[in-house]
Amino acid sequence: MLNRYQREYAESLYSPAKHQALIARLERELGLHIEFRITEMPVFVSHTLRRKLESAAIAICEQCADPSYIAQSAPALEPRYTVPNEHPKPLFCTIDFAVTQNADGEYEPKLIELQGFPSLYGYQLFYGEVAKQELGLDSRLQLFLDEPGVVTRENYLGLLKQALVGNHAPEECCLLELHPHKQKTRPDFEATRLLTGVEPTDIVNVRKEGRTLLHERNGKWIPIKRIYNRAIVDELDSVGAEIPFAWTDDLDVEWAGHPNWYFRMSKYSLPFLKHESVPTTTFLKDLGSNLSDLPADLSNYVLKPLFAFAGKGVNVNPTHDDVRAVPLDERDKWVLQEKVTYAECVYTPEGMNKIEIRVLLLWFPDEAKPRPVISLLRSGRGALMGVRYNSIPWTGSSGCFFGDESVFG
């Protein structure tokens, strides 16, 4: 962390007027109201910690694409949601790390959650560029991941367009979501449209003709050639959405990324991952039919449902009764995870904050390794870092900027 610069920013460079100008410009350029809370400042991260984050994220992604794990993760795919022609790698990987401190006081990433599913690849670019200008940040601070100068705005946009559009025209592609105009992630949808030309399509409004899906563009129904999938199956089910195709249909369409990776690369993978950044995690089903192997002291564990995100259903202080209340036939869908102690590492005028850094990666089919490209930051003082849990001053969502310890300290 660049703690000296973080404190200097909070005490000397920050002003409410700058913060409001940042939000106003984001909303003006995106043409909408941003519903989630943007915290008062970004977080400034050292290149040393950046490299640790990137290394851990790459290693975790590679394990999830290993053939042995793909075989082990077959139970994660429910037959009615299993899409044909699965890709051997997840195109989008988003890995959430808590920032912790080791015994020597060094900052270390610890895995909290992961998804083989897109995150805010468009919005984070908008946020970073506007923040750098409106907040008056030092020009030497770096928005993108990887070594300085490797990822630029131009090649980042090239990679994003390659992922979303491929070899098609933007109008032949879509960002597929349920009622996209109602989603809190709409700022990212609009950013994506402005950056790539790919517009949202409501999943309930597509047409199916044989193996072809169509959407309406400028009053005409045209075939969809490539889908940037943002629709989450459990959310569709929870509201009883009726979609005009089955996930099991063999459709004449390219998926960006393939929906099966939402299930494979998720909390389901946690018990299988082996890395120093991964806390010990166990399926409830593996703790004995009577939970005979349940730890006597649960204060060091978190109880999590597998297929719910943004902190939904997470119990950070489970009791034995809480664990036993999970029905026997659902224990393969819950995990007990070793609790991670977040470092109180970011100075704010309201107290020291804890943070989660989301590493966003792209992994193209012809590339041996995934590419870390940009980050998302969630900051707070409570038990959970999701923005829905952090709605007070100096908490919420922002991004990371990376710098050299020798300069910023």
Side-chain angles (χ1 to χ4, degrees):
M1 308 295 293
L2 302 174
N3 288 325
R4 188 178 69 197
Y5 188 76
Q6 196 85 49
R7 190 174 189 116
E8 178 187 352
Y9 181 85
E11 292 183 338
S12 305
L13 301 178
Y14 165 78
S15 75
K18 284 183 181 180
H19 183 54
Q20 290 306 313
L22 163 66
I23 296 171
R25 182 170 164 190
L26 281 171
E27 294 186 337
R28 184 171 64 251
E29 294 193 6
L30 295 173
L32 47 76
H33 172 62
I34 298 173
E35 294 186 29
F36 51 83
R37 189 174 199 286
I38 299 172
T39 190
E40 278 71 359
M41 65 178 173
V43 168
F44 307 110
V45 177
S46 70
H47 286 305
T48 298
L49 179 55
R50 172 185 60 76
R51 294 184 187 103
K52 291 179 181 179
L53 289 160
E54 292 168 356
S55 176
I58 290 170
I60 288 166
C61 291
E62 289 178 324
Q63 288 186 40
C64 288
D66 186 273
S68 64
Y69 172 71
I70 290 176
Q72 289 173 311
S73 63
L77 299 178
E78 289 190 39
R80 61 183 172 143
Y81 299 138
T82 302
V83 178
N85 307 311
E86 182 178 322
H87 301 168
K89 301 171 184 174
L91 177 58
F92 302 102
C93 310
T94 59
I95 318 291
D96 291 349
F97 292 103
V99 173
T100 69
Q101 277 183 295
N102 64 21
D104 297 321
E106 298 170 338
Y107 293 114
E108 300 284 353
K110 287 291 182 182
L111 180 66
I112 296 297
E113 193 163 299
L114 68 165
Q115 301 176 42
F117 190 78
S119 188
L120 308 187
Y121 287 82
Y123 170 80
Q124 287 304 124
L125 175 60
F126 265 76
Y127 169 82
E129 292 186 329
V130 172
K132 201 160 192 179
Q133 295 172 21
E134 293 293 334
L135 303 182
L137 304 182
D138 193 297
S139 61
R140 292 168 294 180
L141 289 166
Q142 172 184 320
L143 172 62
F144 299 105
L145 292 164
D146 212 326
E147 293 303 306
V150 173
V151 180
T152 64
R153 186 184 199 277
E154 290 70 26
N155 61 27
Y156 178 77
L157 283 180
L159 292 170
L160 194 59
K161 290 177 181 177
Q162 180 184 346
L164 272 59
V165 180
N167 298 319
H168 307 289
E171 60 268 21
E172 296 175 319
C173 308
C174 69
L175 186 159
L176 194 66
E177 172 64 292
L178 176 69
H179 309 327
H181 61 290
K182 296 182 179 179
Q183 298 287 343
K184 284 191 176 181
T185 45
R186 188 178 164 218
D188 181 65
F189 302 166
E190 185 60 18
T192 299
R193 184 188 70 81
L194 292 169
L195 294 170
T196 69
V198 175
E199 298 188 20
T201 292
D202 195 327
I203 193 170
V204 298
N205 290 336
V206 300
R207 277 187 191 170
K208 180 173 180 279
E209 295 180 0
R211 297 181 62 239
T212 301
L213 295 182
L214 303 96
H215 61 186
E216 191 173 9
R217 291 290 186 265
N218 299 317
K220 296 181 180 180
W221 286 90
I222 64 172
I224 302 171
K225 301 293 182 65
R226 189 172 176 88
I227 292 175
Y228 178 38
N229 184 49
R230 300 292 291 267
I232 297 177
V233 167
D234 63 336
E235 289 189 1
L236 296 174
D237 284 353
S238 67
V239 298
E242 295 185 9
I243 63 175
F245 65 92
W247 295 102
T248 53
D249 289 342
D250 187 7
L251 299 168
D252 185 16
V253 69
E254 297 172 1
W255 290 98
H258 196 281
N260 291 1
W261 281 103
Y262 169 80
F263 295 99
R264 288 196 188 276
M265 189 175 179
S266 63
K267 287 192 286 291
Y268 187 90
S269 65
L270 290 171
F272 300 97
L273 297 173
K274 305 299 179 186
H275 191 268
E276 60 188 2
S277 69
V278 180
T280 301
T281 309
T282 308
F283 290 111
L284 291 195
K285 69 178 178 64
D286 293 334
L287 294 174
S289 58
N290 295 317
L291 298 175
S292 54
D293 296 327
L294 192 64
D297 181 5
L298 288 178
S299 62
N300 294 319
Y301 294 87
V302 175
L303 181 64
K304 291 184 174 183
L306 290 180
F307 301 116
F309 293 98
K312 294 179 183 177
V314 174
N315 186 337
V316 296
N317 294 300
T319 65
H320 284 73
D321 287 342
D322 292 332
V323 179
R324 292 192 174 93
V326 178
L328 188 62
D329 62 352
E330 293 183 16
R331 290 179 184 173
D332 59 337
K333 298 179 177 64
W334 288 77
V335 293
L336 202 62
Q337 184 178 17
E338 182 185 4
K339 190 174 288 186
V340 172
T341 301
Y342 290 70
E344 294 184 347
C345 57
V346 171
Y347 173 84
T348 83
E350 302 291 331
M352 296 299 289
N353 274 21
K354 300 173 282 188
I355 59 171
E356 260 178 34
I357 297 175
R358 173 172 290 180
V359 177
L360 281 64
L361 306 95
L362 294 168
W363 197 353
F364 294 101
D366 60 345
E367 295 188 339
K369 290 181 177 292
R371 300 181 186 215
V373 287
I374 203 165
S375 67
L376 183 152
L377 187 282
R378 291 177 294 194
S379 180
R381 294 185 289 279
L384 293 169
M385 290 296 106
V387 290
R388 70 175 63 198
Y389 306 105
N390 290 286
S391 57
I392 59 175
W394 294 89
T395 71
S397 171
S398 65
C400 296
F401 287 91
F402 305 96
D404 190 333
E405 298 100 312
S406 65
V407 177
F408 296 98

